Amino acid sequence: MRDGAHAENSLPGASSQILKMAHISKRYQGVQALDNVELNLKTGEIHALLGGNGAGKSTLLKILSGLTTPDEGSILFQGAPVSIDTPRIAQELGISMIHQELSIIPDLSILENICLGQDSLITQRTKWTPWVNRREIAKKVRSVATEFGITEDELWRPAGEFGALKKRAVEIVRSLVVQPKILILDEPTSGLEEHEKELLFEHMRSLQRLGVALIWVTHHLDEVFGLADTATIMRDGQSVAHTQIKGLNLNDLISLMFGSEAAALIEQPGSKKKSSNKNSNRSKILDVVQFKRAGILKDISFSLAEGEILGIAGLAGAGRTELVRAIMGIDKIDSGTVNFFGEEKKISHPKKAYDLGIAMVPEDRKVLGILSEFSLEKSISISKLSSIVKSGFLNSKNERDLASNYIRKLSIKTPNSGEKIRNLSGGNQQKVIISRCLNTNPKILIFDEPTQGIDVASKVEVHKLIRDLAGEGKSVIVIASEISELIRLSDRIIILREGSLVGEIEEVPEKIELNGYENVERDILQKISRLKS
Amino acid sequence: MRNQSKFSKFIAIEGIVILIAFVLMLIFFSIQAESFLDQDSIRYYINEAVPIFVITVGLTFVIIAGGIDLSIGSVLGLSAGTSLMVSMWGWPVWMAIIVGLLTGLSFGLLNAVIITVFKVNDFIVTLGTLYIASGALTVLTDNIQLVGTQDENFLKISDIEFLGITSAIWMALIIAIVLELVLVKTSFGRRIFATGIGETPALIAGISTQKTKFGAYLMSGGLAGFGGVILASHLNSVQSGLAGGYELTAIASAVLGGVSLAGGRGSVWRAILGVLFLTTLNQGLLLMGIDPLIFQIVTGLCILVGVVVDRGVYKFALTRSIETSPTVSVFLGGKKVKSWR
């Protein structure tokens, strides 16, 4: 296995081999995180690194960026063996990484953000003055910045004024200051809107033209096509495939990532099982009447029926999250009422929402969702502690039983119910949060970006779960940036733009492939993004 | 799936490091200073530590809920003053206790309202009430000489012996046990933890974080009041500046015991261990005949070393548990395909 297969690597040429990681193994306290992994990279190629949560991608990248060292294996950089023991060595070699989370300080100007951590920019002073000459530095970065859509004027404005795309661009420019040969992008599209993603992909092509080799980690497999040249696919700590992207389709990738049995489970985009009863005379359960909040929500009214899945479409900042937060009583609104089963209710605090039977799975799971120090058990019981109280005290047996019940029901993967929630994978954390909501016995469940940052297999499970819940008669509100996800899930979709309700899709077609999926998607896209006339 | 070595499992038990250090210190002192194990000496210095012990327990709740209470020391001093004063006026002992408790509770209430209703930074608020309480005690003792109540019963509050242990220690023990139970076994305690781990995610999970914090500050104030009553009964004299700086000892004890200042982590018994550690250290050094002038330096060093070691061990345990967290995939099996075309 260790011979032959990659003989062509040593060939010199226009697109020469820049990195060759071979037979990389890493054990952590008895767990084999990486097992004989290979990764080959050529100059100027976009290389997708794919795999489910826990497949070993991040460990491999940690090794490449000097954050940890492999137990076995070799790394050849431009043909010469190197050992990347520290991040500094990685930087000197020209290996940079842009992390999934934005590393932008909002109060600093774009220029200062570009300089962040790039001492070379600041110390290379032309004049013998003790101060940093910002104009001088601006001159230096200007041309690169323009290439990535940052105008000269914008260099001086605080980064906080700009959206996620511009911040990504700042990170790219920052990484280019040290002239990287390899740039690692970890989920660069996270937090971007659909149309912004295209622009980011343009940036990635520019990087490619500059001769930078890109290693691109993404969970959004559909993005890979048409952009990535090659891919390494990892599963269970092994690199199971090294392949050209050309000539593959989505299913091929999925079966490589999760095994062929899994691919069968993961549904085709065309098939979907809608929550069963579609008759419009289902009883109304929630009425949101004229929600107003200065500058954020403009007179929004809608209703929700029993057993219905209502999708909310819109760009970030359109007021989707703000709307559901207002319903939950997390944010205050200026005016507006909520009718629950036809009765007007004041929900001034999330606790009241839970008491009424409204529960929410929030966006941004790591920050807003999980209580990181809690064990899985505590995470599930927290929203309704009374469910485990026995004669006045929290009962640990009840708590454990409650947890095991949900672990079984939602097939949560965990060593035991005492495991801290932060040690679980993204998909399993999300299931724990859903369990927490279910434990309050809600009539309405609100999901804000429920599949953000979780792998394809978990995503399918979460989707199925949402549909099952609706099937049991619970009403569901779903917010998702990915329009295809929204169409696939929802019975009905309302569309928000700049805080106003601008449209509604009453009947989301059953068979989205056949019955105008494209039309619906185009319709939504048009409505959510049309500029104010 | 977990493959931790016995050692790393053992060392990951919360509070184990400080417990080991404490035991080692006990052994060291009993070898070095002969009178260290003397019953009277032990009883004496533990008795002295009771007021700090009591406020540390209250402070632990506040810190775990993600807050801080700097006012407890001076509130304790003021409560000692008010309860001794009314006792000197000839009020019955139960009235004196209630006055002391109310003094503490009213400061706790003040802190709680300003912090949770007006949303002012807890550090600033309790710094303000620290000055108010300490100033009030100065004013109080400036007018009246607070020495010597005639009421024997008042002195007995802290000094009835039962099974060879003073009532002050009994009360401290009961408070510790009950409040540890509250922290671990009640909904209120669970909410304290949730609030400290993250106010926003806790709020979204449906927890009244402000009410929870309110409760913690109120409790901290009440316990400071109670500590004041015990101190007044023990000393039978109160002067300006009494118990000033106790809050720092309490914070140091809690942190040394591993209560995280970031909130969400800690327990009553660990904070208590911190108190015992610091007071025993002082007592041991005293009995060894070491110059009291350097006590503070040694105490400071112990706090630093203790916290650094505890942090290191926590990180060690943390990385272990993350790295060993299993990479379970739903779809195991499947042969290793080396290269796919």
Side-chain angles (χ1 to χ4, degrees), chain A residues 345-380:
Chain A
K345 297 283 182 193
K346 264 210 119 41
I347 304 177
S348 54
H349 192 282
K351 189 174 184 327
K352 287 196 179 157
Y354 282 99
D355 289 345
L356 279 177
I358 310 176
M360 178 165 91
V361 177
E363 61 168 352
D364 204 352
R365 182 184 58 250
K366 277 187 201 155
V367 178
L368 300 175
I370 63 168
L371 287 157
S372 56
E373 288 279 336
F374 269 172
S375 65
L376 185 148
E377 299 168 358
K378 290 180 178 175
S379 304
I380 291 178

Short mmCIF file of all heavy atoms in Angstrom, two decimals, chain A residues 345-380:
data_model
loop_
_atom_site.label_atom_id
_atom_site.label_comp_id
_atom_site.label_asym_id
_atom_site.label_seq_id
_atom_site.Cartn_x
_atom_site.Cartn_y
_atom_site.Cartn_z
N LYS A 345 -51.94 36.15 24.53
CA LYS A 345 -50.97 35.84 25.58
C LYS A 345 -49.86 36.88 25.56
O LYS A 345 -49.45 37.34 24.50
CB LYS A 345 -50.35 34.47 25.33
CG LYS A 345 -51.32 33.32 25.38
CD LYS A 345 -51.68 32.98 26.80
CE LYS A 345 -52.62 31.79 26.81
NZ LYS A 345 -53.25 31.59 28.11
N LYS A 346 -49.40 37.21 26.74
CA LYS A 346 -48.21 38.06 26.82
C LYS A 346 -47.01 37.16 27.10
O LYS A 346 -46.95 36.49 28.12
CB LYS A 346 -48.37 39.05 27.99
CG LYS A 346 -48.91 40.41 27.56
CD LYS A 346 -48.38 41.51 28.46
CE LYS A 346 -47.56 42.58 27.77
NZ LYS A 346 -48.02 43.04 26.49
N ILE A 347 -46.07 37.13 26.17
CA ILE A 347 -44.87 36.32 26.40
C ILE A 347 -43.72 37.28 26.63
O ILE A 347 -43.11 37.79 25.69
CB ILE A 347 -44.59 35.39 25.21
CG1 ILE A 347 -45.81 34.51 24.95
CG2 ILE A 347 -43.38 34.52 25.51
CD1 ILE A 347 -45.67 33.60 23.76
N SER A 348 -43.41 37.54 27.89
CA SER A 348 -42.40 38.55 28.19
C SER A 348 -41.04 37.90 28.49
O SER A 348 -40.05 38.60 28.64
CB SER A 348 -42.85 39.37 29.40
OG SER A 348 -43.15 38.49 30.46
N HIS A 349 -41.03 36.59 28.58
CA HIS A 349 -39.79 35.90 28.95
C HIS A 349 -39.84 34.50 28.33
O HIS A 349 -40.92 33.90 28.28
CB HIS A 349 -39.71 35.80 30.48
CG HIS A 349 -38.37 35.37 30.98
ND1 HIS A 349 -37.96 34.05 30.95
CD2 HIS A 349 -37.33 36.07 31.50
CE1 HIS A 349 -36.72 33.98 31.44
NE2 HIS A 349 -36.32 35.18 31.78
N PRO A 350 -38.69 33.98 27.87
CA PRO A 350 -38.71 32.64 27.27
C PRO A 350 -39.37 31.59 28.16
O PRO A 350 -40.00 30.66 27.68
CB PRO A 350 -37.23 32.33 27.08
CG PRO A 350 -36.55 33.64 27.03
CD PRO A 350 -37.37 34.61 27.81
N LYS A 351 -39.22 31.78 29.47
CA LYS A 351 -39.80 30.80 30.39
C LYS A 351 -41.32 30.68 30.17
O LYS A 351 -41.87 29.60 30.19
CB LYS A 351 -39.52 31.23 31.83
CG LYS A 351 -39.89 30.19 32.84
CD LYS A 351 -39.46 30.60 34.22
CE LYS A 351 -39.73 29.52 35.25
NZ LYS A 351 -40.90 28.71 35.00
N LYS A 352 -41.94 31.85 29.92
CA LYS A 352 -43.38 31.84 29.68
C LYS A 352 -43.70 31.11 28.39
O LYS A 352 -44.71 30.40 28.30
CB LYS A 352 -43.92 33.27 29.61
CG LYS A 352 -43.95 33.92 30.97
CD LYS A 352 -44.82 35.16 30.98
CE LYS A 352 -44.83 35.75 32.38
NZ LYS A 352 -45.16 37.17 32.38
N ALA A 353 -42.85 31.30 27.39
CA ALA A 353 -43.06 30.60 26.12
C ALA A 353 -43.02 29.09 26.33
O ALA A 353 -43.90 28.36 25.87
CB ALA A 353 -42.00 31.03 25.11
N TYR A 354 -42.03 28.64 27.08
CA TYR A 354 -41.92 27.20 27.34
C TYR A 354 -43.13 26.70 28.12
O TYR A 354 -43.65 25.63 27.86
CB TYR A 354 -40.63 26.88 28.10
CG TYR A 354 -39.40 26.86 27.23
CD1 TYR A 354 -38.56 27.96 27.17
CD2 TYR A 354 -39.07 25.74 26.47
CE1 TYR A 354 -37.42 27.95 26.36
CE2 TYR A 354 -37.95 25.71 25.67
CZ TYR A 354 -37.13 26.83 25.62
OH TYR A 354 -36.02 26.80 24.82
N ASP A 355 -43.56 27.52 29.09
CA ASP A 355 -44.72 27.12 29.90
C ASP A 355 -45.97 26.98 29.04
O ASP A 355 -46.79 26.08 29.25
CB ASP A 355 -44.96 28.14 31.03
CG ASP A 355 -43.89 28.05 32.10
OD1 ASP A 355 -43.17 27.03 32.09
OD2 ASP A 355 -43.76 28.97 32.91
N LEU A 356 -46.11 27.89 28.06
CA LEU A 356 -47.27 27.82 27.18
C LEU A 356 -47.20 26.62 26.24
O LEU A 356 -48.21 26.09 25.81
CB LEU A 356 -47.35 29.07 26.32
CG LEU A 356 -47.96 30.34 26.90
CD1 LEU A 356 -47.86 31.46 25.90
CD2 LEU A 356 -49.41 30.09 27.27
N GLY A 357 -45.99 26.20 25.92
CA GLY A 357 -45.82 25.11 24.97
C GLY A 357 -45.16 25.55 23.68
O GLY A 357 -45.45 25.02 22.61
N ILE A 358 -44.31 26.57 23.77
CA ILE A 358 -43.53 26.98 22.61
C ILE A 358 -42.05 26.79 22.97
O ILE A 358 -41.61 27.27 24.01
CB ILE A 358 -43.76 28.46 22.24
CG1 ILE A 358 -45.26 28.75 22.15
CG2 ILE A 358 -43.06 28.81 20.94
CD1 ILE A 358 -45.59 30.20 21.89
N ALA A 359 -41.32 26.06 22.14
CA ALA A 359 -39.91 25.80 22.45
C ALA A 359 -39.08 26.17 21.24
O ALA A 359 -39.56 26.15 20.11
CB ALA A 359 -39.71 24.34 22.80
N MET A 360 -37.81 26.53 21.48
CA MET A 360 -36.98 26.96 20.36
C MET A 360 -35.61 26.28 20.37
O MET A 360 -34.97 26.17 21.39
CB MET A 360 -36.79 28.47 20.39
CG MET A 360 -35.90 28.96 19.27
SD MET A 360 -35.97 30.74 19.00
CE MET A 360 -34.66 31.28 20.06
N VAL A 361 -35.19 25.86 19.20
CA VAL A 361 -33.82 25.42 18.97
C VAL A 361 -33.12 26.60 18.31
O VAL A 361 -33.40 26.92 17.17
CB VAL A 361 -33.78 24.19 18.04
CG1 VAL A 361 -32.35 23.79 17.76
CG2 VAL A 361 -34.56 23.04 18.65
N PRO A 362 -32.24 27.30 19.04
CA PRO A 362 -31.72 28.56 18.52
C PRO A 362 -30.67 28.37 17.43
O PRO A 362 -30.13 27.29 17.26
CB PRO A 362 -31.10 29.21 19.75
CG PRO A 362 -30.69 28.08 20.61
CD PRO A 362 -31.69 26.98 20.36
N GLU A 363 -30.39 29.46 16.72
CA GLU A 363 -29.29 29.45 15.76
C GLU A 363 -27.97 29.46 16.53
O GLU A 363 -27.97 29.59 17.75
CB GLU A 363 -29.36 30.70 14.88
CG GLU A 363 -29.23 31.98 15.69
CD GLU A 363 -29.02 33.24 14.88
OE1 GLU A 363 -28.81 33.14 13.66
OE2 GLU A 363 -29.04 34.31 15.47
N ASP A 364 -26.89 29.32 15.81
CA ASP A 364 -25.56 29.44 16.40
C ASP A 364 -25.40 28.55 17.64
O ASP A 364 -25.19 29.01 18.75
CB ASP A 364 -25.30 30.91 16.79
CG ASP A 364 -23.81 31.20 16.86
OD1 ASP A 364 -23.03 30.24 16.74
OD2 ASP A 364 -23.43 32.37 17.03
N ARG A 365 -25.50 27.26 17.38
CA ARG A 365 -25.56 26.27 18.45
C ARG A 365 -24.47 26.41 19.49
O ARG A 365 -24.72 26.33 20.69
CB ARG A 365 -25.49 24.87 17.82
CG ARG A 365 -25.60 23.73 18.77
CD ARG A 365 -25.40 22.43 18.04
NE ARG A 365 -24.12 22.41 17.37
CZ ARG A 365 -23.96 22.47 16.06
NH1 ARG A 365 -24.98 22.54 15.26
NH2 ARG A 365 -22.75 22.48 15.55
N LYS A 366 -23.24 26.66 19.05
CA LYS A 366 -22.12 26.68 20.00
C LYS A 366 -22.25 27.83 20.99
O LYS A 366 -21.82 27.72 22.13
CB LYS A 366 -20.81 26.83 19.24
CG LYS A 366 -20.29 25.51 18.72
CD LYS A 366 -18.90 25.72 18.12
CE LYS A 366 -18.59 24.60 17.16
NZ LYS A 366 -17.61 25.00 16.16
N VAL A 367 -22.79 28.96 20.53
CA VAL A 367 -22.84 30.14 21.39
C VAL A 367 -24.19 30.26 22.11
O VAL A 367 -24.25 30.54 23.30
CB VAL A 367 -22.56 31.41 20.55
CG1 VAL A 367 -22.66 32.64 21.43
CG2 VAL A 367 -21.20 31.32 19.90
N LEU A 368 -25.27 30.05 21.36
CA LEU A 368 -26.60 30.29 21.94
C LEU A 368 -27.30 29.01 22.35
O LEU A 368 -28.23 29.03 23.15
CB LEU A 368 -27.47 31.03 20.92
CG LEU A 368 -26.95 32.38 20.46
CD1 LEU A 368 -27.84 32.96 19.37
CD2 LEU A 368 -26.89 33.35 21.64
N GLY A 369 -26.87 27.88 21.79
CA GLY A 369 -27.60 26.65 22.03
C GLY A 369 -27.14 25.92 23.28
O GLY A 369 -27.86 25.80 24.26
N ILE A 370 -25.91 25.44 23.24
CA ILE A 370 -25.48 24.55 24.31
C ILE A 370 -25.02 25.32 25.54
O ILE A 370 -24.53 26.44 25.44
CB ILE A 370 -24.35 23.61 23.85
CG1 ILE A 370 -23.10 24.40 23.46
CG2 ILE A 370 -24.81 22.75 22.69
CD1 ILE A 370 -21.87 23.53 23.28
N LEU A 371 -25.20 24.71 26.69
CA LEU A 371 -24.57 25.19 27.91
C LEU A 371 -23.35 24.29 28.08
O LEU A 371 -23.44 23.17 28.57
CB LEU A 371 -25.53 25.08 29.09
CG LEU A 371 -26.65 26.13 29.05
CD1 LEU A 371 -27.85 25.69 29.84
CD2 LEU A 371 -26.15 27.47 29.56
N SER A 372 -22.19 24.79 27.64
CA SER A 372 -21.06 23.92 27.34
C SER A 372 -20.58 23.08 28.51
O SER A 372 -20.08 21.98 28.32
CB SER A 372 -19.91 24.76 26.79
OG SER A 372 -19.60 25.77 27.72
N GLU A 373 -20.72 23.60 29.74
CA GLU A 373 -20.19 22.85 30.89
C GLU A 373 -21.12 21.73 31.33
O GLU A 373 -20.75 20.90 32.16
CB GLU A 373 -19.95 23.79 32.08
CG GLU A 373 -18.77 24.72 31.92
CD GLU A 373 -17.44 24.03 32.25
OE1 GLU A 373 -17.45 23.05 33.01
OE2 GLU A 373 -16.41 24.48 31.73
N PHE A 374 -22.34 21.74 30.83
CA PHE A 374 -23.31 20.76 31.30
C PHE A 374 -23.10 19.40 30.64
O PHE A 374 -22.67 19.30 29.50
CB PHE A 374 -24.73 21.23 30.99
CG PHE A 374 -25.36 22.03 32.10
CD1 PHE A 374 -26.58 22.67 31.91
CD2 PHE A 374 -24.75 22.16 33.33
CE1 PHE A 374 -27.17 23.41 32.93
CE2 PHE A 374 -25.33 22.89 34.35
CZ PHE A 374 -26.54 23.52 34.14
N SER A 375 -23.43 18.37 31.39
CA SER A 375 -23.46 17.03 30.81
C SER A 375 -24.69 16.92 29.93
O SER A 375 -25.58 17.77 29.97
CB SER A 375 -23.52 15.99 31.92
OG SER A 375 -24.75 16.13 32.61
N LEU A 376 -24.72 15.84 29.17
CA LEU A 376 -25.86 15.61 28.30
C LEU A 376 -27.16 15.56 29.11
O LEU A 376 -28.17 16.17 28.74
CB LEU A 376 -25.62 14.30 27.55
CG LEU A 376 -26.58 13.85 26.49
CD1 LEU A 376 -25.82 13.08 25.44
CD2 LEU A 376 -27.65 12.96 27.08
N GLU A 377 -27.12 14.87 30.25
CA GLU A 377 -28.32 14.76 31.10
C GLU A 377 -28.83 16.12 31.53
O GLU A 377 -30.02 16.44 31.40
CB GLU A 377 -28.00 14.00 32.39
CG GLU A 377 -27.53 12.61 32.21
CD GLU A 377 -26.96 12.03 33.52
OE1 GLU A 377 -26.90 12.75 34.54
OE2 GLU A 377 -26.56 10.87 33.48
N LYS A 378 -27.90 16.92 32.05
CA LYS A 378 -28.31 18.24 32.54
C LYS A 378 -28.82 19.10 31.41
O LYS A 378 -29.71 19.93 31.59
CB LYS A 378 -27.13 18.91 33.23
CG LYS A 378 -26.75 18.25 34.54
CD LYS A 378 -25.57 18.96 35.19
CE LYS A 378 -25.24 18.31 36.52
NZ LYS A 378 -24.02 18.90 37.12
N SER A 379 -28.22 18.93 30.23
CA SER A 379 -28.64 19.74 29.08
C SER A 379 -30.06 19.42 28.68
O SER A 379 -30.78 20.29 28.19
CB SER A 379 -27.72 19.48 27.89
OG SER A 379 -26.39 19.73 28.23
N ILE A 380 -30.47 18.19 28.86
CA ILE A 380 -31.82 17.81 28.44
C ILE A 380 -32.86 18.27 29.45
O ILE A 380 -33.93 18.76 29.10
CB ILE A 380 -31.90 16.29 28.20
CG1 ILE A 380 -31.09 15.93 26.95
CG2 ILE A 380 -33.35 15.84 28.01
CD1 ILE A 380 -31.05 14.46 26.63
#
